[in-house]
Structure formats: structure tokens, C-alpha cells
Amino acid sequence: MTDRHIQDYDVLIIGAGINGAGLFRDLSEQGVRCLIVDKGDYGSGTSAAPSRLIHGGLKYLETGEFRLVAESTYERNLLLKNAAHLVTPLPTLIPIYSWTKGIWPAIRTFFGSKTAPRSRGVLLVKIGLQLYDFYSSGNRQMPRHKMLSGRRALSSIPALSREIVAAGTYHDAAISAPERLVRELVQDGIIAQNESRGMNWTKVEHYEKGLIYLTGSDGAQIIVRPKFLVNAAGPWIDAVNAVFGLQTALIGGTKGSHILLDHPELMQQLDGRMIYFESNDGRILLVFPYLGRALVGSTDIPDTDPDAAACSNNETEYFLRSLTDLLPGLAFNRDQIVSSYAGIRPLPNSDGVAPGLISRDHSAPQFPAETDRPFPVVALVGGKWTTFRAFAADVADTVLAQLGLDRQTPTDALPIGGGRDMPRTSSEAADWIATTALRTGANPDRMMDLLSRYGTTAHHIAEHEGPAPAFIENTTFSEAEIDWIVRNEQVVHLEDIMLRRTQIVITGQATRAVVRKIGAIAAIALGWEIDRADAEFERTIIVLTQRHGITFHKDRE
């Protein structure tokens, strides 16, 4: 291919976050030739910084967004089946400190007040959970809510504040590796339509006369001529629109930050549950077990710089203070923090509305083709992780109609990646593990770990590892596992492995020695020269230090 070769695609999607990846898979399943590109890695922007919940949006009931709650609970239930390797039920407890408070503020919020309610009492929570059960009834996967007395709640979680008068319990779901699910969606799209293509670390350089000029991860220029353009760039949407002559102000982002704690006493108290609680300022926060750590989030602060999002000192103090108020029977300090992360939510521009009340619903404004831009543009605005499939289906139907095509494949029951043929019961899982372990030579316990990490695609890693894998010191990952990831999952930079192909950083397993070892494995697999390997190491250390709160000690390498 010469530098001037023009590649024709039905649809170009700019932005490989969850919305873009979901649409890429959907359109590819319909036989549409798609190209998806991202200036970073798959799922490296906002989609890498959620609270790691797949939830129905209990708090959206306060703002009367019943359609969004119905859609969210339906999509949550689908993900529990379609991505069972990554999405699992999460029992949740809401501590309540009064019987009737919050009713009038809630009514004002329901009818459009721009300030959030405070101190939701038992009556309000009970009504909310009953509504939540109602909207969760479609394709139900989990138990209905229950109300507990204060005494029962304290006997279950003794460290809770003694001011508690009752508690509500219900179930939502958590996702163990959101970045992996994004990449699996892209991979599924490529499998479904072998003329579709995904390109990470690919920049949109400029636009001219119907042609879009890209620079790939290897520095080569790619010229693309699409019939339809989808702007799925999240908080970068307005900047991308500007490349195509569209002056928009669609996004009014807010920053959401999280911290991860190494806190065995807290983990014991949580006992597999999430606590969904109010801070003293009325903001809803959460804490739940995540891969052996306690995940705490999230803030909601107006911010417009997604390239520099990081958890600030003030946010960290806010989390620790709120946890202390919630659980005065436990001690919290900065030394317990093993990592942090933050991202900018691509919410619709909503001047004057409290950040927590900005709608998480999605929209897709369209810009018709013009003389100097012969293809239409649609921008994917807002949305939430849980509802990506429904958002993709809506937009895909619009694109298909404009391309004169019909839908061939609904995606409601379509498994994702390693969720395909995932064992549903403990006995099915035991059979799968025993059979796969026998075929690959893997230890059954190791096979169980790989199944929980990769779903049914785990057999690829087990075959690559063999019966006696060598583990990277201080981690739960083997050298052969990393080698397989590097060779098969479109790794471009060392940070891709550390942050998105594995959970090494977020769970606090990243030391300088670990980063160096994984970099050495990647260098061999990708043919990096010494200078490139050293540059990747230094680049990754900077990213982990500045964006994820990791403190490295040179004398420990």
C-alpha cells in the first residue's frame, strides 16, 4: 500500500471507548465495514475510569428518569448473562440515618430543582427500592430488596456509625475489567466482519475534501474515505467535531475519581458487599470489594481536561473523611491507598445544574452531509457504562437506515468475548475447569483463576503457559500469560499491559521491578530495541506516578 492509497469504509468510528466499541461490534455484526480508531489505547479514556459498577441507576429515580432506570436494569441483567466472566452480582447495603427526612427535597428534585436532596430517610429509601425492584423485573437475575433494622445492620457490619436507624439491601453488579470488555467488543466486531478493523494509538491528523488523514501507531499515514462518520470521542467530542468544521459545545464534563485501599479489616466488614452511602454533603459514595482491595468512589467535579485527569489530594481527603464518618469503628489513612484513578464523564452541557443531577442518559445529535463534507456525522453524547449496548443499537439502526441496510443480528442475547459458552453453575464451571485442565496440562486451581479473568478464552493462555507457569514476583500473573497478551491483544505500549490488559496497577501490584520485568517480556515479543524498552519503562513510570498515585522506590527495583 502506498502512502496515497485510500481506504474506503462504510463507517469510521473515532473513539474506542465503550460507546464506540459497542457500536463497532453492532455494525460489524450487521455486515457493515467499519474502522474504529482511538488516539490512545482501547478503553483508555473515560471508559477506563468508571466506578466498575454495572448498575440500574437507583439514584436516577430521584430525577424522574424512569426510562433510563428501566433501560439500565434491563441492560445490567443482560450483561450478567452475556459477559458473565467479567460482570458478577454485587449485594449492596444502604445505611439510613433517619425515618422521614429527605421527602420534600426529593419531591423538589423530582420536579426539576437543581440541587440534590439530602439525608434520604427510611420511607424515601423504601419507596426507591420498591420502584427499583419494579424496573428490575424484566429478565430478572437477582433477588428483591429487603429492609433491615439498625440493630441487624450493625450486627452485620459492626464498624458502621451507631447513628444508623435502618438499612436497605438490594443487588446490582460489578465489572472486574472494564477495559478488557471494551477490547473484547472490538475483537468480536472484527471476527463478525473480517473487513472491519480496529486501530489503537491512531491520531486523526486532518480532514480535506472528503478524506480523513490518520497516523497509525507505527507512524504510517492512513487515508480513509467513509460513507458515515461517528464521533465517539467522549470528552473530546467537541474537539473532534472541530476537525470537520463543526463548532459545537455538546460536552460539559465532570471528573470522577476513585481510590483503592489495602485494608483487610474493611474487607472483612464488607464481606463481599457494597455500601452505597451518603457523605455529609449529601453526595452519594460507595465502597466495595474489588479484586482483593476496597474500591472507593466517586467525586463529581466540573472539569474539561481529560488528558490530565487524576485524583487530587482534596478528593483523597474527602474519601478518607467520608469513610471515617461511615465506619468510625475502623481507621483510615493515606498509607492504605495502593492506587487511584480519575476520568472525565462526557456528560451533556448542562450549565447551572448540580453535577450529580446532570442526566446520564444518552443522545446522538446528527449533522447532515454538506458540500465540503460528503458524509454525515453523528456524535455520541453522554450515556453510562451499563447502557452501552442499547445506545449502540439505537445508533446502529440510524446508521443502517441511512446506508440503506437492514439489521441482521440483534445484540440483546449476544455474548461478549470470553462470556461465550461461559459455565452458568458451579457444577458446569467445575466440569469446564477439569476438562480444560486435562487438555492443556494446567493445574485446576490455575485454570479456575484464568476462567475468572478471561472467561472461556482462558484456554488459550493455559495452552501457552503449560503445566508449570513462572509467575512474575509479587503478582498473580505469569510470564507466559503476559507474553500471550502482548502477542495477541494489540499491545503498543507498556502502559497498555499495566493499565488495561491486566489489573496489576489498580490492585497495587506494580513495583519498579514488576514494570521492568513486564517491559522485558514485551520487548522480546514486540522486538523493541534497548532504547525503546527503556523509553517505555520511563514513560510508564511517569504515567503511573502522575495519573494513578503510585509511589515507586528505586532501591526496590
Side-chain angles (χ1 to χ4, degrees):
M1 183 185 76
T2 66
D3 284 347
R4 298 299 305 174
H5 180 73
I6 298 171
Q7 299 183 22
D8 289 297
Y9 284 93
D10 296 323
V11 179
L12 170 63
I13 301 171
I14 299 175
I18 187 59
N19 288 334
L23 180 60
F24 176 81
R25 180 193 67 153
D26 194 324
L27 288 172
S28 294
E29 288 283 350
Q30 317 315 318
V32 177
R33 296 177 65 250
C34 295
L35 172 64
I36 186 169
V37 303
D38 198 288
K39 72 184 186 71
D41 191 20
Y42 300 118
S44 63
T46 298
S47 295
S51 294
R52 281 157 166 76
L53 294 181
I54 299 296
H55 67 106
L58 179 63
K59 68 178 181 178
Y60 307 145
L61 293 171
E62 290 182 336
T63 50
E65 296 181 275
F66 298 132
R67 188 203 62 79
L68 178 59
V69 175
E71 181 179 77
S72 298
T73 51
Y74 176 75
E75 294 298 326
R76 177 201 65 193
N77 293 347
L78 289 183
L79 280 167
L80 283 163
K81 295 193 297 184
N82 296 336
H85 59 313
L86 301 177
V87 179
T88 53
L90 181 63
T92 301
L93 181 141
I94 304 175
I96 311 171
Y97 299 95
S98 71
W99 293 100
T100 59
K101 283 185 178 179
I103 293 176
W104 290 114
I107 291 172
R108 289 198 302 270
T109 299
F110 184 85
F111 286 104
S113 171
K114 296 181 179 180
T115 58
R118 293 281 301 273
S119 189
R120 301 153 181 92
V122 171
L123 183 59
L124 196 61
V125 172
K126 175 67 175 176
I127 293 171
L129 290 177
Q130 285 179 323
L131 284 170
Y132 205 54
D133 280 344
F134 171 77
Y135 285 110
S136 299
S137 59
N139 203 20
R140 179 178 295 280
Q141 299 288 306
M142 294 177 292
R144 297 177 180 274
H145 85 279
K146 294 181 180 179
M147 300 300 293
L148 304 179
S149 67
R151 180 182 300 176
R152 286 188 62 191
L154 286 168
S155 68
S156 178
I157 306 179
L160 278 172
S161 169
R162 298 294 166 179
E163 296 179 11
I164 188 172
V165 300
T169 66
Y170 69 102
H171 281 70
D172 258 324
I175 180 168
S176 59
E179 305 91 342
R180 174 160 294 281
L181 190 137
V182 171
R183 204 206 67 82
E184 288 186 348
L185 287 167
V186 174
Q187 186 62 32
D188 284 355
I190 294 169
I191 292 171
Q193 163 57 284
N194 61 13
E195 293 186 74
S196 288
R197 185 181 179 191
M199 298 176 63
N200 54 346
W201 296 102
T202 297
K203 294 181 180 179
V204 178
E205 297 292 354
H206 69 282
Y207 167 74
E208 183 178 354
K209 298 179 180 178
L211 302 178
I212 300 170
Y213 292 77
L214 311 173
T215 300
S217 60
D218 59 358
Q221 185 182 75
I222 303 103
I223 306 173
V224 178
R225 182 168 50 203
K227 296 177 183 177
F228 202 104
L229 176 68
V230 176
N231 181 353
W236 296 271
I237 278 178
D238 292 318
V240 170
N241 274 349
V243 174
F244 301 98
L246 297 168
Q247 302 305 314
T248 60
L250 299 174
I251 301 298
T254 67
K255 183 176 70 165
S257 294
H258 304 76
I259 59 174
L260 280 294
L261 302 179
D262 180 6
H263 199 310
E265 290 177 286
L266 173 59
M267 293 291 287
Q268 184 177 20
Q269 295 271 328
L270 293 174
D271 192 24
R273 296 164 295 193
M274 176 170 72
I275 304 179
Y276 188 68
F277 67 102
E278 291 180 19
S279 64
N280 283 337
D281 61 2
R283 166 103 187 120
I284 296 294
L285 299 178
L286 55 88
V287 55
F288 70 94
Y290 176 78
L291 301 178
R293 307 301 186 194
L295 189 153
V296 186
S298 111
T299 50
D300 213 354
I301 301 170
D303 198 315
T304 58
D305 188 2
D307 291 308
C311 183
S312 68
N313 287 331
N314 286 342
E315 289 171 296
T316 298
E317 288 299 325
Y318 173 70
F319 287 140
L320 296 177
R321 186 169 61 251
S322 297
L323 285 172
T324 300
D325 292 339
L326 172 73
L327 298 157
L330 299 176
F332 297 95
N333 60 69
R334 285 178 173 269
D335 292 339
Q336 297 159 342
I337 300 173
V338 298
S339 66
S340 64
Y341 64 92
I344 306 300
R345 303 178 182 93
L347 303 179
N349 199 340
S350 304
D351 289 341
V353 179
L357 296 182
I358 299 174
S359 176
R360 267 51 172 179
D361 207 347
H362 47 253
S363 64
Q366 295 185 55
F367 306 90
E370 298 179 351
T371 303
D372 59 348
R373 178 176 40 77
F375 47 81
V377 176
V378 61
L380 308 189
V381 177
K384 55 198 288 287
W385 239 98
T386 307
T387 57
F388 78 85
R389 190 214 60 84
F391 192 9
D394 288 345
V395 177
D397 287 341
T398 297
V399 174
L400 289 169
Q402 296 200 29
L403 293 175
L405 301 172
D406 295 324
R407 174 173 289 279
Q408 301 175 15
T409 306
T411 56
D412 299 62
L414 198 61
I416 301 171
R420 189 166 285 101
D421 300 321
M422 186 72 179
R424 297 295 180 187
T425 65
S426 56
S427 61
E428 287 178 0
D431 289 344
W432 190 94
I433 288 167
T435 301
T436 310
L438 184 63
R439 188 175 81 244
T440 61
N443 179 285
D445 288 341
R446 174 60 173 164
M447 202 67 249
M448 184 183 300
D449 290 341
L450 293 177
L451 178 64
S452 68
R453 195 172 284 170
Y454 304 104
T456 53
T457 60
H459 69 92
H460 294 302
I461 292 95
E463 290 165 358
H464 195 66
E465 280 186 344
F471 285 86
I472 298 169
E473 188 175 1
N474 296 320
T475 80
T476 56
F477 289 81
S478 75
E479 295 180 17
E481 181 180 6
I482 298 298
D483 182 73
W484 190 92
I485 287 171
V486 174
R487 295 178 186 275
N488 293 279
E489 295 193 346
Q490 259 186 291
V491 167
V492 174
H493 293 292
L494 177 55
E495 69 169 80
D496 299 343
I497 312 166
M498 301 301 303
L499 288 168
R500 290 172 290 277
R501 304 300 186 277
T502 72
Q503 293 74 51
I504 288 173
V505 171
I506 195 170
T507 55
Q509 300 178 64
T511 64
R512 287 178 66 90
V514 168
V515 177
R516 181 73 76 182
K517 177 63 177 178
I518 292 175
I521 295 170
I524 294 171
L526 298 176
W528 291 343
E529 300 292 341
I530 292 176
D531 288 350
R532 169 71 186 273
D534 287 344
E536 289 286 341
F537 174 79
E538 295 300 334
R539 166 198 173 112
T540 301
I541 293 295
I542 290 171
V543 170
L544 301 189
T545 301
Q546 295 182 352
R547 300 288 298 275
H548 296 277
I550 308 296
T551 301
F552 292 101
H553 303 279
K554 288 189 176 182
D555 58 345
R556 295 180 185 175
E557 183 176 345

